[in-house]
Amino acid sequence: MKSNLDLVDECDNFPPSLPASRKHEYDYGLLTDGPDSDTVLGYVHPKVMRVLNTPSVVISSYRVAPQSRSVAINGDTETERSANVAAVVRLWWEEGWFEVLDGWRDELYPVYHPRTRELLFSVERAASALFGVVTYGVHMTVFTSTPTGEMMIWVPRRAKTKQTYPGLLDNSVAGGISTGEGVFKSLVREAREEASLPEALVREKAVAVGAVTYMHVRDERAGGETGLLQPECEYVFDLELDGGDATPRPGDEEVEAFNLMSVPEVQAALGRGEFKPNCALVLLDFFVRHGVLTSENERDYDEIVARLHRNLRL
Amino acid sequence: MKSNLDLVDECDNFPPSLPASRKHEYDYGLLTDGPDSDTVLGYVHPKVMRVLNTPSVVISSYRVAPQSRSVAINGDTETERSANVAAVVRLWWEEGWFEVLDGWRDELYPVYHPRTRELLFSVERAASALFGVVTYGVHMTVFTSTPTGEMMIWVPRRAKTKQTYPGLLDNSVAGGISTGEGVFKSLVREAREEASLPEALVREKAVAVGAVTYMHVRDERAGGETGLLQPECEYVFDLELDGGDATPRPGDEEVEAFNLMSVPEVQAALGRGEFKPNCALVLLDFFVRHGVLTSENERDYDEIVARLHRNLRL
C-alpha cells in the first residue's frame, strides 16, 4: 500500500533543485537560451548530449559548449530556433536514434524563457523529454455529491491501447497544451474530446484552482528511453456537477470508461498504484483543497503540500 | 503599485534553497539535531553565532562545531533539550543581548525533526527567529457573498499598539501554534479570541484547504534585529458565511476593526502594501484557489503558485 508521500515521491522523483552551477552533478546536460547564458531551459539526458556531440548534417542548428555541458539552439528569432530544433529532432526521428520519438505526435510544445515568459521556440511534443524542457497541461477533477452529501469523483480508465500508461486510472479531464493554445481553451477542447462535456458547461462551472508542478524522471511506463527528465506544470481546475448537468462519457478512443468513485474508493485505488503517477498528484491537491487531507490526518502533510508545487525554475 | 510577485518576493525573501553543504554561503550558522548531524533545524543569525561562541554560564547547554558553523542543543530527551535552550534564551533575555527578546511571550514553540516529525524541543516564541527554526500558524479567510453574488472578504486592521506590523491589514483569523496545541484547536481558539466567532460555527464550516510556506528575512517592521530568518508554515482554512451566520468582530485588543472588502478592494490594498506581508501570501493563495487569479490573467502565475508553497526542508 503506497502512502500519499510515496505517490508524490514516485512522480516528483528528480533530486531537489540545485543551483545551475551544480546541475552537472546529476549528469544531465543543460539546455540554455544562448551559448554563454546561465538561463536553463531544460535538462538534457546524457545520451542526447552524446548524440548532439556526434557530427551530423544538423550540427549547425545548435552549439554545444566546450566541455559538452550545455547546448543552445541557434537562431536569432523564435522562427529560426524552432526550425533549427525541428531539423534536429526530425533527423533523429528519421534515423531512429531515440525510442521516445516512435511516439511522434506532430504537435508542437512551447519553450518559454523562465523569467520573461517569452516564447523562445517550439519543439515536437515527443521530443520535449529529450531536452527536459517544462511541458504544460490542464487537469480537471469533475465531481458531484450524492443526495446524502457524499462527494463522488468521475474517474476514467485509460484505454489499453494508449502509448503511455495503458489501462491506468486517469483524471476526469487531462491533456497537454500546444504552442499557441490558451490554457482555458485547451481545457474546453479536452473536456469535449475526452469526456464529451459541453463547452457551455465547462465555461460556466469550471474553476481555476491552481497548478501542480513536479519534476518527473520517466520510467518504462511512459514508453521510450528511461531516465529522461520531464518537468511539468499542470494547471488545475475543479468542476462540480449538479444533478441536472451532463456527465462525462468517453468521447474518443483514449478513454475506456468513466466511473463514479467515492473519496475512499479513489484513495484505495491510489494506494494500490492504479492511477497514472501525475494524476495521483492532482488528486492529492484536490484532497488538500477540499479538506479531505489535513495536517491532522496526514503525517506528511507539510511535505506533500510543498512538493505538489515544485519550483520549476531549472 | 506592487505586483503580486512583488508581494511574494517581499515575504518569501530568502534566497532559493541550497543543499546543506552550501548553506554557509549566506553566513547563517546551522542549528542541527546533534553535533555531527547534517539534519538542519534552523538558520542561526551570525550575531547569534557570535554570542553562542562567547563564554557564559550556559555554555554547557549546547555545542558549537569547530568552525562555528553549526550548533546543537545538548540533551538526550526533549525535556533536557527544552531546558537547555530555555536556560540560554532566558540568560540572553535577562542580560539584554537581543532586541527581539523584548517581545518575550512566555509561550513555547515546537521544533520538530524535519523528517520524522518528532518533537525535539520547545523554545520561547520570541526566540524562535534567533535560531531560524520553522514556526507554525493558522490563517483563515472568512468570506461571504452579496445578494448579487459578489465575493466579500472580512478584513481586520491590526491595532496600532501591536508589537509587530501595527496598523496593517490582516487575515480574518490568524495566529501561532504553540507546543502541544492541535492545528484545528488553535484555529478555533484564535477565531474565538480575535474574531469572536463561535466555536460551533468554526467546527461546522471551516475547511482545511492547504498550507502556505515561505522563508522570511525579518525587517524592522517585525521589531527586533533585522536579518533574522523565519521559515513559516501557515495552515490555511476557508470559512464561507451565510446571511444568518455570526460575523467577525474584534474580540481582544489586537484587532482595531473588521471591514467587509470586495476582491478588487483587497487587491488594491495589497498593491498599496497595506497588508502584513505573510497575510498577502495567504490572500494570493485564496485568489488562486477561487479562480480570481488564473494563468491567463496573472503573468507570474506559475512562479507565484510554486513560491506560495516553498519546501521548508532546510
Side-chain angles (χ1 to χ4, degrees), chain A residues 19 22 116-117 136 182-184 208-211 235 288-289 291 295-296 301-303 305-307 309 311 313, chain B residues 19 22 116-117 136 182-184 208-211 235 288-289 291 295-296 299 301-303 305-307 309 311 313:
Chain A
R22 297 189 63 217
T116 68
R117 309 293 297 158
Y136 299 85
V183 173
F184 198 78
V209 290
Y235 298 108
V288 165
R289 289 184 294 98
S295 58
E296 296 182 280
Y301 189 79
D302 301 4
E303 179 160 6
V305 174
R307 298 267 307 276
H309 303 95
N311 196 327
R313 288 282 198 95
Chain B
R22 297 189 64 217
T116 67
R117 310 293 297 156
Y136 299 85
V183 173
F184 199 78
V209 290
Y235 298 108
V288 165
R289 289 184 295 97
S295 58
E296 297 184 279
R299 197 190 92 109
Y301 189 79
D302 300 5
E303 179 161 4
V305 174
R307 298 263 311 271
H309 303 96
N311 197 326
R313 288 281 199 96

Side-chain angles (χ1 to χ4, degrees), chain A residues 271-293:
Chain A
R272 291 190 300 265
E274 290 185 28
F275 275 90
K276 183 170 174 255
N278 66 343
C279 296
L281 269 58
V282 173
L283 284 166
L284 292 179
D285 176 67
F286 182 86
F287 292 154
V288 165
R289 289 184 294 98
H290 288 271
V292 173
L293 290 182

Side-chain angles (χ1 to χ4, degrees), chain B residues 183-196:
Chain B
V183 173
F184 199 78
K185 210 163 168 192
S186 166
L187 180 76
V188 167
R189 179 181 52 71
E190 291 286 349
R192 189 183 57 236
E193 288 176 6
E194 292 196 355
S196 314

Side-chain angles (χ1 to χ4, degrees), chain B residues 29-190:
Chain B
L30 301 177
L31 176 69
T32 61
D33 74 335
D36 302 312
S37 169
D38 56 6
T39 297
V40 177
L41 307 177
Y43 290 85
V44 186
H45 192 274
K47 181 176 172 194
V48 179
M49 288 305 295
R50 284 197 296 278
V51 174
L52 285 166
N53 275 297
T54 308
S56 80
V57 295
V58 293
I59 205 146
S60 64
S61 297
Y62 56 88
R63 187 151 5 151
V64 176
Q67 287 92 21
S68 305
R69 288 305 199 185
S70 71
V71 58
I73 306 298
N74 289 335
D76 293 330
T77 63
E78 183 261 307
T79 309
E80 283 174 29
R81 289 184 292 264
S82 294
N84 277 328
V85 78
V88 173
V89 299
R90 181 163 283 274
L91 182 78
W92 289 347
W93 179 36
E94 288 166 358
E95 296 188 350
W97 283 93
F98 297 104
E99 270 178 67
V100 72
L101 296 180
D102 295 350
W104 191 273
R105 306 283 289 242
D106 244 336
E107 188 183 338
L108 290 176
Y109 265 13
V111 177
Y112 298 107
H113 189 286
R115 193 170 41 74
T116 67
R117 310 293 297 156
E118 179 198 357
L119 176 64
L120 296 176
F121 58 88
S122 294
V123 60
E124 155 62 26
R125 175 171 177 170
S128 58
L130 294 173
F131 295 100
V133 294
V134 181
T135 61
Y136 299 85
V138 289
H139 276 242
M140 182 159 70
T141 305
V142 182
F143 64 106
T144 187
S145 293
T146 65
T148 60
E150 189 183 12
M151 179 187 278
M152 303 290 286
I153 298 173
W154 281 104
V155 178
R157 188 175 291 280
R158 296 166 71 85
K160 294 192 182 63
T161 51
K162 286 272 281 188
Q163 282 173 339
T164 60
Y165 307 98
L168 289 186
L169 297 177
D170 208 330
N171 274 127
S172 317
V173 172
I177 306 172
S178 309
T179 297
E181 189 175 31
V183 173
F184 199 78
K185 210 163 168 192
S186 166
L187 180 76
V188 167
R189 179 181 52 71
E190 291 286 349

